[in-house]
């Protein structure tokens, strides 16, 4: 691709010519899933979705958008899980993080905070902050969300889909791990909606509803929806501020469908999310040095004489003893925590159907503002406290051409994608590390653009049922970084342009580009058995660490990361002794090169070479390793009869580093043992099991019972496998729900539920588990919660 073509394409997308030419943008949201009569079980029901009993009995086809068009999930050559709104409710999915417990191969966990969760698929995760392209992306209505604004709404949802493996060809931004797609309910031309209320422990109150209004018959329709949720914090704050792990969010959405004629569809979506909470509790669980770590671990920092002073509130050992006495549902911070978030966006999609060719354009603007403050050390001592503001704007535009050719044997898609994310106002941070305050600002401007083509060719003339699939994409990425550390907040530039003007020596620009591809075959043996094999290349762009690394100039930027995988899968539906069975299995092998890894800068090395260790960058991203990740995931569902369905999944992941190469001085200082370093947030084995009973009680209504079990074995959070401060040994969770649907023949449904039935105490993520900071904290999963809910459809 020539330089001129690249920038010609950039000007074309930026100018909005594509958007305006295609009718100002918008696309058809996924249509409602077709339904059949409840008493007729469907053998082809989706099992990647781990569908509940009612779905097995009612869904004709589960459609997914894994290849940017609606297809039957059982004939898509990629491992994908999909959840309808009914499945989300019955499987107990209340937040994005609950997807962990129902999806093979996915871990969603607090990345330092529940505000910005980490999404991990097949060993790959997105960074909570900082530079670099994401390994896993979240999408709302086909629009990629920014890292800081990645929380997915869980109200008025049409479907949630989880794609596994590199998505480097078709989807907006290139990823190496996968993508999580959420599609909101689309407007239609029938008046209707719903209203629901949920009450529970910790003063839990949630109100939700949607209203669909046809404005002009078959031409214009409006759908509005909203959710308001409150809950007291279940982690008691013994220090400054409110109880943590509370919930106080409001979210609203309006969607307008416009179909001026038979071949143009335009959908405009506006969404808004606001949260004002105390934030996530970081519970003190250990102190360093840790004798379990090789060579005794890392010492207690430069102020050990104070931290080991025997003074209550300062001495880390006394603080740990107090924490252990109080239990994991308490914290004792030294300053007031907060987590205020405001995220909103506008998406417009236009689709023009020209017969054998259709055009689609998706244009979106998103705004993210986060003001947070958190005590990461979990003690009354000012050891590791962080506060900051992140404010960004993101613009994206994607243009697609779909078509068929060669007697409908060839399905093809051409596309172009553009993304620009830039700071909007102040992006500042204040740190209190070992009693010393630090005030800084950090800005990133990211630009990504790509051209791609994808196609499928039916080889029926040679082998009936055989199809060849291939795709190619070329991506250009650029990241501009500006940072500054000041002695007083009044000296902050508080804007990206001001930072560049005041600190020209602290501006870094990193460019990278790479081809990605996919190819493979799928074979539809018959209506019940589908086989596929595929190989894909994924890529994560390079990025900047900053300027002034005179001692280690190679640290100023980190390079691209790539992955090449092979995936083999079977999807099947069949009758077994009168029971309807769906069984899917996929195995994969992934080879990674130049893995990007975030490390905490050692306090003993002058990394930037300016003679002052104190002003070292807090973290660095380095190309640390080569690795091989392979695994198997399988899921099954059995409709035993018209009333009972059982199912489950298993996932096995073998993730290990083949090589670990970091500058020797850094490697020694951060105490990473290359031989034993492990992938974080990646349990070797997870499994899920569910039971759904749906039994008619005549005029009373329909009784429903759902039980869901999830098991995870040991998982590590900081890459040191022998560090108990950052290791969860494994846990089991059980959620149950008992409901009465269509009460007395009405449109009213009610139910009671228990989440975490046996009150399992487990580490969901680290708060901060780095020996440099002396203390290690953990974020624990939710305690047992009882509740009741009622919903009215109209």
């Amino acid at each position: 691709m020539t330089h001129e073509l690249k920038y010609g394409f950039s000007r074309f997308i930026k100018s909005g010519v594509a958007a305006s030419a295609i009718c100002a943008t918008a696309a058809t949201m996924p249509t409602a899933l077709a339904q059949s009569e409840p008493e007729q079980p469907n053998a082809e029901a989706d099992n990647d979705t781990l569908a509940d009993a009612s779905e097995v009995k009612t869904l004709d086809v589960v459609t997914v958008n894994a290849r940017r068009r609606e297809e039957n999930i059982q004939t898509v050559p990629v491992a994908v899980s999909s959840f309808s709104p009914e499945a989300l409710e019955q499987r107990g999915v209340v937040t994005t993080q609950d997807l962990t417990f129902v999806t093979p191969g996915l871990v969603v966990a607090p990345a330092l905070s529940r505000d910005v969760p980490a999404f991990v698929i097949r060993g790959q995760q997105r960074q909570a902050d900082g530079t670099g392209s994401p390994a896993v992306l979240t999408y709302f209505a086909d629009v990629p969300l920014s890292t800081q604004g990645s929380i997915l709404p869980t109200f008025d949802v049409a479907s949630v889909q989880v794609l596994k493996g590199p998505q480097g060809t078709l989807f907006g931004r290139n990823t190496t791990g996968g993508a999580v797609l959420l599609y909101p309910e689309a407007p239609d031309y029938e008046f209707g909606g719903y209203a629901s209320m949920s009450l529970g422990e910790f003063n839990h109150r949630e109100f939700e509803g949607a209203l669909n209004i046809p404005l002009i018959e078959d031409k214009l329709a409006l759908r509005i929806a909203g959710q308001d949720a409150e809950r007291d914090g279940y982690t008691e704050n013994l220090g400054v501020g409110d109880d943590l792990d509370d919930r106080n969010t409001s979210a609203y959405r309006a969607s307008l469908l416009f179909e001026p004629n038979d071949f143009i569809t335009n959908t405009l979506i506006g969404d808004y999310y606001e949260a004002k909470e105390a934030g996530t509790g970081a519970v003190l669980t250990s102190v360093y040095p840790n004798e379990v770590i090789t060579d005794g671990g890392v010492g207690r920092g430069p102020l050990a004489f104070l931290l080991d002073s025997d003074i209550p509130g300062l001495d880390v050992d006394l603080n740990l003893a107090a924490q252990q006495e109080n239990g994991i549902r308490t914290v004792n911070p030294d300053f007031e925590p907060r987590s205020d978030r405001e995220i909103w966006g506008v998406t417009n999609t236009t689709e023009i159907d020209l017969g054998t060719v259709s055009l689609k354009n998706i244009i979106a603007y998103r705004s993210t503002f986060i003001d947070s403050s958190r005590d990461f050390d979990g003690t009354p001592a000012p050891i590791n406290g962080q506060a900051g503001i992140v404010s960004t704007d993101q613009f994206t535009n994607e243009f697609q051409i779909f078509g068929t050719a060669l007697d409908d044997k060839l399905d093809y898609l051409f596309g172009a994608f553009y993304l620009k994310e830039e700071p909007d106002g102040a992006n500042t941070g204040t740190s209190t590390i070992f009693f010393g305050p630090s005030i800084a600002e950090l800005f990133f401007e990211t630009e990504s653009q790509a051209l791609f083509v994808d196609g499928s060719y039916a080889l029926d003339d040679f082998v009936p049922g055989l199809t060849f699939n291939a795709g190619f994409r070329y991506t250009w990425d650029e990241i501009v970084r500006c940072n500054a550390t000041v002695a007083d907040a009044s000296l902050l530039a508080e804007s990206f342009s001001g930072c560049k003007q005041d600190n020209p020596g602290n501006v870094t620009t990193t460019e990278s580009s790479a081809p990605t591809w996919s190819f493979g075959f799928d074979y539809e043996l018959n209506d019940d058995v589908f086989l596929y094999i595929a190989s894909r290349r994924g890529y994560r762009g390079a990025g900047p660490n900053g300027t002034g690394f005179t001692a280690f100039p190679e640290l100023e930027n980190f390079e691209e990361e790539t992955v090449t995988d092979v995936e083999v899968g079977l999807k099947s539906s069949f009758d077994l002794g009168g029971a309807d069975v769906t069984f899917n299995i996929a195995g994969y092998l992934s080879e990674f090169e130049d893995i990007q890894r975030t490390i905490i800068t050692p306090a003993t090395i002058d990394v930037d070479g300016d003679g002052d260790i104190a002003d070292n960058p807090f973290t660095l991203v380095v190309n640390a390793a080569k690795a091989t990740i392979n695994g198997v995931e399988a899921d099954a569902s059995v409709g035993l009869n018209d009333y009972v369905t059982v199912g489950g999944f298993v996932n096995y992941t073998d993730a290990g580093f083949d090589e670990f190469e970091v500058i020797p001085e850094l490697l020694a200082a951060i105490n990473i043992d290359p031989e034993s370093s492990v992938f974080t947030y990646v349990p070797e084995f997870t499994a899920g099991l569910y039971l759904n009973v749906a039994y008619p009680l005549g005029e009373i209504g329909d009784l429903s019972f759902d039980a869901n079990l999830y098991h995870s074995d040991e998982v590590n959070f900081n890459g040191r496998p022998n560090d108990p401060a950052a290791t969860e040994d494994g846990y089991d969770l059980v959620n149950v729900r008992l409901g009465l649907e269509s009460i007395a023949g009405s449109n009213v449904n009610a139910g009671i539920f228990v989440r975490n039935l046996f009150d399992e105490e487990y580490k969901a993520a680290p708060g901060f588990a780095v020996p440099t900071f002396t203390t290690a904290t953990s974020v624990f999963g939710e305690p047992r919660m009882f509740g009741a809910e009622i919903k009215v459809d109209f």
Side-chain angles (χ1 to χ4, degrees), residues 426-489:
N427 281 256
T428 61
T430 302
S431 304
T432 302
I433 297 176
F434 291 124
F435 301 83
S438 174
I439 302 172
E441 54 188 352
L442 179 60
F443 299 92
F444 293 102
E445 181 181 80
T446 301
E447 190 171 25
S448 182
Q449 48 194 300
L451 297 171
F452 56 90
V453 59
D454 187 83
S456 300
Y457 185 80
L459 299 171
D460 291 341
D461 293 341
F462 304 97
V463 179
L466 184 66
T467 301
F468 174 67
N469 308 295
F472 181 82
R473 172 188 178 114
Y474 204 94
T475 304
W476 298 269
D477 289 318
E478 179 181 276
I479 299 178
V480 181
R481 168 188 168 128
C482 181
N483 65 283
T485 301
V486 298
D488 186 271

Side-chain angles (χ1 to χ4, degrees), residues 781-793:
E782 293 181 347
R784 178 170 52 218
M785 293 189 182
F786 295 88
E789 56 194 8
I790 186 169
K791 181 180 179 182
V792 180
D793 294 302

Side-chain angles (χ1 to χ4, degrees), residues 605-626:
I605 294 180
D606 182 16
V607 174
D608 54 14
D610 64 355
D612 183 6
I613 294 178
D615 68 355
N616 277 343
F618 183 63
T619 62
L620 292 171
V621 179
V622 296
N623 296 100
K626 295 181 180 180

Side-chain angles (χ1 to χ4, degrees), residues 129-131 148 388-392 422-430 439-445 479-486 492-496 499-500 503 506-508 544-547 617-619:
D129 54 14
T131 57
Q148 297 289 341
I389 293 175
V390 174
S391 182
T392 63
E422 55 189 346
D424 178 22
N427 281 256
T428 61
T430 302
I439 302 172
E441 54 188 352
L442 179 60
F443 299 92
F444 293 102
E445 181 181 80
I479 299 178
V480 181
R481 168 188 168 128
C482 181
N483 65 283
T485 301
V486 298
L492 293 171
E494 297 190 336
S495 71
F496 186 39
C499 180
K500 290 188 291 184
N503 307 277
N506 291 352
V507 178
T508 309
N545 281 316
T547 60
F618 183 63
T619 62

Side-chain angles (χ1 to χ4, degrees), residues 17-42:
V17 171
S20 53
I22 308 300
C23 231
T25 155
T28 318
M29 293 296 102
T31 57
L33 300 179
Q35 308 233 327
S36 59
E37 293 301 319
E39 53 269 17
Q40 296 180 6
N42 173 25

Side-chain angles (χ1 to χ4, degrees), residues 561-622:
E561 172 188 315
T562 60
V563 57
T564 304
D565 85 337
V566 176
E567 181 178 313
V568 180
L570 161 72
K571 300 185 178 185
S572 62
S573 304
F574 51 92
D575 180 276
L576 182 64
D580 294 314
V581 180
T582 307
F583 174 75
N584 299 329
I585 186 170
Y588 64 91
L589 172 66
S590 305
E591 296 285 347
F592 290 84
E593 298 279 346
D594 297 319
I595 291 177
Q596 298 170 4
R597 178 160 175 166
T598 301
I599 62 173
I600 302 294
T601 307
T604 56
I605 294 180
D606 182 16
V607 174
D608 54 14
D610 64 355
D612 183 6
I613 294 178
D615 68 355
N616 277 343
F618 183 63
T619 62
L620 292 171
V621 179
V622 296

Side-chain angles (χ1 to χ4, degrees), residues 14-75:
K14 288 189 216 179
S15 67
V17 171
S20 53
I22 308 300
C23 231
T25 155
T28 318
M29 293 296 102
T31 57
L33 300 179
Q35 308 233 327
S36 59
E37 293 301 319
E39 53 269 17
Q40 296 180 6
N42 173 25
E44 292 185 6
D46 164 35
N47 221 61
D48 271 319
T49 68
L50 300 180
D52 53 73
S54 64
E55 288 184 301
V56 172
K57 298 174 181 62
T58 62
L59 290 181
D60 286 330
V61 173
V62 172
T63 58
V64 294
N65 300 72
R67 296 194 291 179
R68 308 309 297 271
R69 55 188 182 271
E70 292 187 356
E71 297 178 283
N72 183 352
I73 193 172
Q74 289 298 98
T75 56

